Amino acid sequence: MDVSVADVWKKVVDNLSLSIGQESVNLWIKPVTPISLNEDTFTISVPNNFFSQWIEKNQQFNIEQILKKEYSKDIKLGYKIEKDISEQMSKVPSIPTHPDIPVSSMIKDQLNSKYTFDRFIVGNSNRFASGCAEAVTKNPGKQFNPLFIYGGVGLGKTHLMHAIGNELKKNFPNFRILYVTCEKFASDFIEAIRFPEKMTEFKSKYRNLDCLLIDDIQFLVGKDSSQEEFFNIFNTLKDSGKQIVIASDRPQDKLEVEERLISRFKWGNTVDIQAPDTETRIAILKKKAAEEGFTVPDDVIMFIASQIKSNIRELEGTLLRVTSFIKFTNTPFTLDSVKTILKDVIVPDENAKITIDKIQQVVAEQYSLTVKDLKVKKRTAQLAMPRQIAMYLARSLTDMSTTEIGDTFGGRDHTTVMHAYNKINKKMEDDAFFSAQINKIIKMIKE
Ligand code: ADP
Ligand code: MG
């Protein structure tokens, strides 16, 4: 290959990356090799006529413009086609949803048998999500279709998806179930359009399903052609009453994908998973320790649960680190040794030692009240504000849930706590003097 031809082609690729986007370039332009410039024809080699057709239709004009600039004369784009597949392409059937197509070997064994409902600890943060997930396994394609699960990293979305798959397999042994990450879906699709002989396989893989579980759908963002194909698959499955389950790290409206996809993602049922509360974290740690055959002292469990709050994967990782260390070094399993093992993992959290008792005590003192005053049912203005401040501080400085906080204030409802929190929060924003007063109380609590 002529060096200058390669250089010029690189400029074409760079230019197109800017104008048509990286995904299309990866899909259609990267597989192209420049061959030669002969008089005024610039010849490129393409894997098959699917590529030349696409380039001719969509980018020939743009490419010729770039070439014209580079060579300061009119240049025509010519093609050398490595493999003629026109005939094969005309044979790609449109895919019927035949119930009797055997379970393709491609879709076997992608379910992780460890991720089951049995092993999924249910708490306030995920109760609704896991309930709906279980409902899907009893009545697939009927009630919640699609089921859209969203939540932050490491909170159990993937676990729930596999649990649905595993349970469906039990309830409906003949079901064709596919668990796939969105990235895998996109790469399967790219394979299929670049090499149309694979299109049949692709279509049969994704359309002849009874349940499609697609994980991390946020990876569709910025992939236009994959979005389009997913839209079609979604419709095919949904129209024939097949179950679709989607997991995402954000709610539908925050997904920057085509509007029509967003609206379909809202058709069924949407559930979110929140960060687990203390009780749930403790239950998860106990369960995982038991599964690994370890008896972990309660204070150690409490300690780990108090340090790692917002990611269950990290919670597990930390437990594993501790148990492996203990196992391999024969260290005694005590809180002190665990603190040493985790010294460099855990950032000392200045809020960790703040207790609700301390908060109530400091607030009561500040307003010349007793702690009991904060807990009684009376609603006089004199008591209401300090009580709301104490609730606000409990919510900001501890990891107690609003329900737990309500309990420590004489059995008040969690909505009362939320209301107090919002009110004080707003007042702090509006009133600098008040805000300073609260910050002074926070300092005293932390001392
Ligand atoms: P996500 O997909 O939301 O990022 P995963 O499903 O991969 O999170 O969960 C991370 C790890 O935490 C997995 O090992 C999973 O088994 C575990 N996990 C998450 N939620 C729970 C739960 N409620 N009970 C038990 N284990 C959980
Ligand atoms: Mg996941």
Side-chain angles (χ1 to χ4, degrees):
M1 187 204 312
D2 188 333
V3 178
S4 70
V5 168
D7 288 346
V8 168
W9 185 248
K10 186 170 176 308
K11 291 208 172 123
V12 171
V13 175
D14 291 346
N15 259 289
L16 291 179
S17 299
L18 294 176
S19 59
I20 63 172
Q22 201 57 49
E23 196 206 359
S24 301
V25 168
N26 289 344
L27 207 53
W28 298 110
I29 308 295
K30 281 275 158 73
V32 169
T33 332
I35 299 180
S36 60
L37 176 71
N38 230 334
E39 297 189 359
D40 50 8
T41 303
F42 190 102
T43 307
I44 56 175
S45 157
V46 293
N48 57 49
N49 31 357
F50 212 55
F51 285 83
S52 48
Q53 280 163 19
W54 186 89
I55 294 175
E56 205 174 343
K57 181 165 157 243
N58 299 288
Q59 294 303 327
Q60 175 126 2
F61 178 77
N62 290 339
I63 294 173
E64 286 175 352
Q65 289 304 104
I66 301 167
L67 292 174
K68 183 176 177 179
K69 231 170 87 194
E70 289 300 319
Y71 290 109
S72 309
K73 60 174 180 179
D74 282 336
I75 302 281
K76 232 182 101 19
L77 193 61
Y79 300 91
K80 175 174 176 289
I81 295 164
E82 281 161 26
K83 191 173 172 198
D84 190 330
I85 50 166
S86 325
E87 205 189 318
Q88 270 176 29
M89 275 169 62
S90 62
K91 283 197 215 131
V92 173
S94 66
I95 289 294
T97 30
H98 267 311
D100 40 70
I101 292 183
V103 181
S104 146
S105 60
M106 291 161 72
I107 72 171
K108 266 192 204 149
D109 295 325
Q110 11 76 30
L111 289 173
N112 182 338
S113 59
K114 272 172 52 183
Y115 289 160
T116 57
F117 284 113
D118 283 353
R119 292 189 173 195
F120 192 81
I121 302 281
V122 178
N124 289 332
S125 55
N126 58 28
R127 179 163 287 115
F128 187 55
S130 80
C132 293
E134 281 210 74
V136 160
T137 65
K138 308 224 159 68
N139 234 342
K142 303 268 156 44
Q143 212 176 352
F144 302 141
N145 203 16
L147 177 65
F148 188 94
I149 305 171
Y150 74 89
V153 180
L155 295 183
K157 301 181 295 295
T158 298
H159 188 137
L160 271 187
M161 303 275 271
H162 285 274
I164 293 174
N166 286 319
E167 189 69 18
L168 276 175
K169 218 160 79 176
K170 255 199 265 164
N171 298 347
F172 304 90
N174 292 325
F175 255 36
R176 285 178 303 268
I177 303 160
L178 176 64
Y179 167 87
V180 73
T181 63
C182 186
E183 279 169 307
K184 173 83 172 96
F185 165 76
S187 73
D188 279 358
F189 175 59
I190 286 168
E191 265 311 275
I193 40 180
R194 278 169 53 181
F195 305 102
E197 62 271 27
K198 295 205 171 143
M199 190 52 96
T200 319
E201 203 177 68
F202 175 83
K203 290 198 173 186
S204 110
K205 175 173 173 181
Y206 284 95
R207 297 185 194 216
N208 290 298
L209 293 173
D210 297 294
C211 175
L212 172 64
L213 304 148
I214 185 157
D215 205 349
D216 290 321
I217 198 79
Q218 69 272 6
F219 286 109
L220 269 189
V221 172
K223 300 192 171 94
D224 295 346
S225 40
S226 302
Q227 279 179 37
E228 161 116 33
E229 182 60 21
F230 186 71
F231 179 77
N232 296 330
I233 290 171
F234 183 103
N235 290 339
T236 308
L237 293 176
K238 170 87 187 169
D239 289 348
S240 42
K242 309 301 187 187
Q243 179 69 44
I244 303 158
V245 182
I246 301 166
S248 167
D249 72 350
R250 60 201 86 161
Q252 293 99 334
D253 287 323
K254 295 258 162 64
L255 278 172
E256 284 160 16
V257 297
E258 292 174 37
E259 205 46 57
R260 56 184 188 162
L261 265 177
I262 293 183
S263 78
R264 271 164 183 74
F265 290 170
K266 291 181 181 170
W267 271 355
N269 189 17
T270 301
V271 295
D272 70 331
I273 305 186
Q274 301 280 340
D277 55 20
T278 315
E279 272 168 42
T280 312
R281 296 201 298 278
I282 290 174
I284 290 173
L285 286 170
K286 285 193 168 162
K287 175 123 184 160
K288 302 272 168 184
E291 278 171 12
E292 302 298 323
F294 275 98
T295 318
V296 181
D298 278 352
D299 55 353
V300 170
I301 297 264
M302 292 290 280
F303 175 72
I304 299 175
S306 70
Q307 300 298 317
I308 314 264
K309 294 175 181 166
S310 56
N311 184 326
I312 296 174
R313 189 176 296 122
E314 260 176 49
L315 200 62
E316 279 182 3
T318 308
L319 178 70
L320 189 69
R321 190 183 164 116
V322 170
T323 49
S324 334
F325 192 91
I326 301 256
K327 190 157 122 193
F328 292 119
T329 59
N330 265 326
T331 313
F333 217 145
T334 63
L335 183 55
D336 280 343
S337 56
V338 169
K339 282 186 176 166
T340 318
I341 298 166
L342 296 180
K343 206 168 59 222
D344 41 323
V345 189
I346 284 167
V347 195
D349 176 356
E350 56 170 1
N351 290 351
K353 53 187 187 304
I354 295 177
T355 63
I356 183 75
D357 292 341
K358 182 88 199 253
I359 292 172
Q360 290 177 335
Q361 190 194 324
V362 173
V363 172
E365 238 164 64
Q366 274 300 296
Y367 293 91
S368 310
L369 303 168
T370 64
V371 170
K372 219 169 135 201
D373 290 333
L374 297 176
K375 300 185 176 188
V376 294
K377 289 272 173 199
K378 262 192 287 180
R379 283 202 211 170
T380 58
Q382 189 213 358
L383 295 182
M385 177 63 79
R387 189 182 291 136
Q388 285 173 337
I389 291 172
M391 287 177 174
Y392 167 83
L393 293 173
R395 176 142 163 78
S396 328
L397 302 179
T398 74
D399 58 351
M400 294 169 76
S401 69
T402 47
T403 309
E404 290 165 332
I405 296 171
D407 287 345
T408 66
F409 284 85
R412 285 182 160 78
D413 194 69
H414 71 104
T415 53
T416 311
V417 179
M418 261 336 281
H419 173 73
Y421 178 84
N422 292 334
K423 188 168 160 193
I424 300 299
N425 204 22
K426 176 94 183 28
K427 194 165 161 64
M428 283 176 74
E429 275 168 23
D430 296 345
D431 180 346
F433 181 74
F434 179 75
S435 172
Q437 217 181 326
I438 301 295
N439 285 329
K440 202 178 103 201
I441 298 178
I442 293 178
K443 252 200 206 126
M444 291 167 71
I445 293 170
K446 285 186 176 171
E447 260 157 24

